[in-house]
Amino acid sequence: MAEETRSRWEGKASAELKGPTPDQVWPFLEDFCNLHKLLPLVDTCHRVEGIPAQLGLVRYCNSTTFGNDSDLLKLKWANERLLMMDPSEKCFSYEVLDNNDGFKNYVATIRVMPMKDGDGKMGGCMIESSFVSDPVEGWGLQELCSYIDFFLQSMAKKIESAIQEASG
């Protein structure tokens, strides 16, 4: 779901994990600098400054994608600062700082929440990603929301597989 306003964009995506509990999923997300382990399209993610798991920590992430001409590779990169980390609520927020993909004043919150099954019993969990941003140069709001949803679904599948392998 996305809402477009004149000066700010807002959007939200969610991914359901059928078996794992929030307590099983959270350890994968609370390490702010392990994004490359959760998303194969991210080539690297590492700490640039700050103390691990502390507010103000800045990470650098990059990925290589095909540009408009499919023969040309394009390096996309961003520095992102951890703004809030709440392990008891299983959520964190970050902002995109310097980047080469047109993001300005982008702030996202990632949250892990329990889910109820059809009988009202607790079963599995959901990862939710929401954002507020200035319009992103070169992107439409729906395109950005689809991009975030794709990455969130990919991340959820990777986490779900890792948990199944560990318990298997």
Side-chain angles (χ1 to χ4, degrees):
M1 175 166 70
E3 183 178 316
E4 190 163 3
T5 62
R6 283 191 286 140
S7 61
R8 299 289 282 169
W9 285 357
E10 295 181 31
K12 187 183 290 188
S14 61
E16 295 182 359
L17 292 86
K18 300 293 185 199
T21 66
D23 288 335
Q24 291 174 303
V25 170
W26 178 245
F28 290 90
L29 298 173
E30 74 178 333
D31 180 353
F32 188 62
C33 294
N34 80 343
L35 191 60
H36 62 294
K37 295 177 184 174
L38 301 176
L39 293 171
L41 297 175
V42 175
D43 297 328
T44 188
C45 179
H46 63 268
R47 182 176 61 88
V48 174
E49 64 182 59
I51 300 168
Q54 298 294 313
L55 304 186
L57 171 70
V58 175
R59 71 182 178 189
Y60 168 83
C61 301
N62 76 27
S63 62
T64 307
T65 61
F66 286 104
N68 292 338
D69 179 349
S70 62
D71 292 336
L72 297 176
L73 291 177
K74 179 180 179 188
L75 178 69
K76 293 184 179 185
W77 61 269
N79 287 321
E80 301 171 340
R81 177 183 295 130
L82 183 63
L83 299 175
M84 179 273 295
M85 175 78 68
D86 187 340
S88 64
E89 292 294 319
K90 295 178 179 51
C91 66
F92 68 91
S93 294
Y94 68 95
E95 67 180 329
V96 175
L97 303 172
D98 300 328
N99 68 93
N100 70 342
D101 212 14
F103 287 85
K104 292 184 177 92
N105 297 310
Y106 180 94
V107 176
T109 300
I110 310 295
R111 181 179 315 276
V112 183
M113 301 172 288
M115 279 189 337
K116 293 184 178 178
D117 64 17
D119 298 328
K121 296 177 185 171
M122 299 310 282
C125 65
M126 177 180 1
I127 303 172
E128 179 184 88
S129 176
S130 59
F131 73 89
V132 177
S133 175
D134 288 350
V136 180
E137 186 179 321
W139 295 70
L141 177 57
Q142 284 307 124
E143 182 183 16
L144 178 59
C145 288
S146 294
Y147 177 80
I148 290 168
D149 184 62
F150 171 79
F151 276 100
L152 190 62
Q153 300 303 323
S154 299
M155 187 182 318
K157 286 178 186 167
K158 180 82 171 180
I159 292 169
E160 206 166 33
S161 293
I163 291 170
Q164 286 172 354
E165 287 176 19
S167 65

